[in-house]
Amino acid sequence: MMAYMNEESLRRTVESGRTWFYSRSRRQLWNKGETSGHFQFVKGIRYDCDLDTLVVLAEQHGPACHTDEHSCFHRSLDGRRLEPAVFEALTKLYELIRERRRLMPPGSYTTSLFEKGADTILKKVGEEASELIVAAKNGDREEIVRETADLFYHVEVLLALEDVPLGDVFEELLRRWK
C-alpha cells in the first residue's frame, strides 16, 4: 500500500512497531488496522537515496488495501486485475494454509492434514523430500519442479501446525546470507 507519513506518524511507527500514517484530508494520524483489524507489524524501514521516501517492510495481518485486496497495487495500467507475482507464491500459499487451519473447511486436503495431525504431516514432508531426491537422481526437470512444489507445500503445512511464521524462516535465510 502507499500512504503519507509525517514526523509524528513515523515516530509512532518506530515506537509501536505497527504502522501509523497521517491523513492529509482528515488532518489526523491513523493506525493501520485500528478499524479493520488488519495491522501491519514493522520488520524494517528503509529510505531512498534522496532521503524523501520510505519503504516500510511489514508483516501484514489481513489485506493492506481498503478494498480487501492483499495489496493496493492489484491492477495493470489497462485496469485488469493482476495475479500475485511469482516471488509472492510462498507467502500467498502460507496465508491460504493458515486460513484453512483457522476455518477447517470440509473437503479440503489441507484440512484433512490438520485433522490427522503432526505424524501424518511429518510423514508427508518425508515422502515429498524422498520423491524430490528420486526426481533429481533421474534428472527429470519437470518432476523436480512438481516435487519441490509438493515439498514446499507440506513444509508450510508443518510450519502452520507449529505456529512458525514463514517470515521467521525468511529471516533465518537472510541471516545465513550475510
Side-chain angles (χ1 to χ4, degrees):
M1 64 173 279
M2 192 165 163
Y4 183 81
M5 276 189 169
N6 62 10
E7 203 171 312
E8 176 66 13
S9 62
L10 178 58
R11 184 186 65 73
R12 286 193 186 190
T13 295
V14 170
E15 287 176 359
S16 70
R18 295 193 315 204
T19 53
W20 283 82
F21 301 104
Y22 181 75
S23 170
R24 292 174 288 184
S25 60
R26 292 178 293 167
R27 297 179 185 203
Q28 67 183 37
L29 293 173
W30 59 280
N31 176 230
K32 173 65 178 153
E34 68 188 332
T35 55
S36 67
H38 301 156
F39 292 101
Q40 295 173 333
F41 296 91
V42 177
K43 297 297 184 178
I45 300 176
R46 299 177 182 181
Y47 57 87
D48 74 332
C49 56
D50 297 323
L51 306 175
D52 63 359
T53 304
L54 299 174
V55 172
V56 177
L57 306 173
E59 180 180 314
Q60 218 170 274
H61 288 218
C65 187
H66 72 281
T67 65
D68 277 343
E69 292 287 341
H70 177 73
S71 167
C72 294
F73 299 93
H74 60 273
R75 298 206 182 279
S76 63
L77 287 176
D78 63 5
R80 285 182 297 135
R81 188 180 189 298
L82 297 171
E83 294 301 317
V86 171
F87 64 84
E88 296 176 286
L90 288 175
T91 303
K92 296 295 285 178
L93 175 61
Y94 190 67
E95 289 171 3
L96 177 62
I97 290 168
R98 286 181 50 92
E99 180 180 297
R100 295 275 165 84
R101 182 173 182 222
R102 185 174 56 80
L103 300 175
M104 299 293 278
S108 160
Y109 175 66
T110 306
T111 296
S112 73
L113 287 173
F114 287 126
E115 288 172 343
K116 292 174 185 171
D119 287 344
T120 296
I121 294 168
L122 293 168
K123 182 179 175 190
K124 287 302 293 180
V125 169
E127 286 174 9
E128 297 305 339
S130 297
E131 290 171 7
L132 174 58
I133 291 166
V134 170
K137 187 81 171 150
N138 292 336
D140 186 337
R141 186 184 183 289
E142 289 179 15
E143 192 65 16
I144 291 169
V145 169
R146 284 193 298 274
E147 294 304 338
T148 301
D150 288 347
L151 179 60
F152 284 177
Y153 164 78
H154 287 93
V155 166
E156 287 195 358
V157 170
L158 176 62
L159 293 174
L161 178 74
E162 298 295 330
D163 290 320
V164 175
L166 187 59
D168 289 1
V169 176
F170 291 157
E171 287 172 8
E172 177 62 24
L173 288 170
L174 288 174
R175 271 193 294 279
R176 292 177 183 193
W177 180 23
K178 293 177 186 179

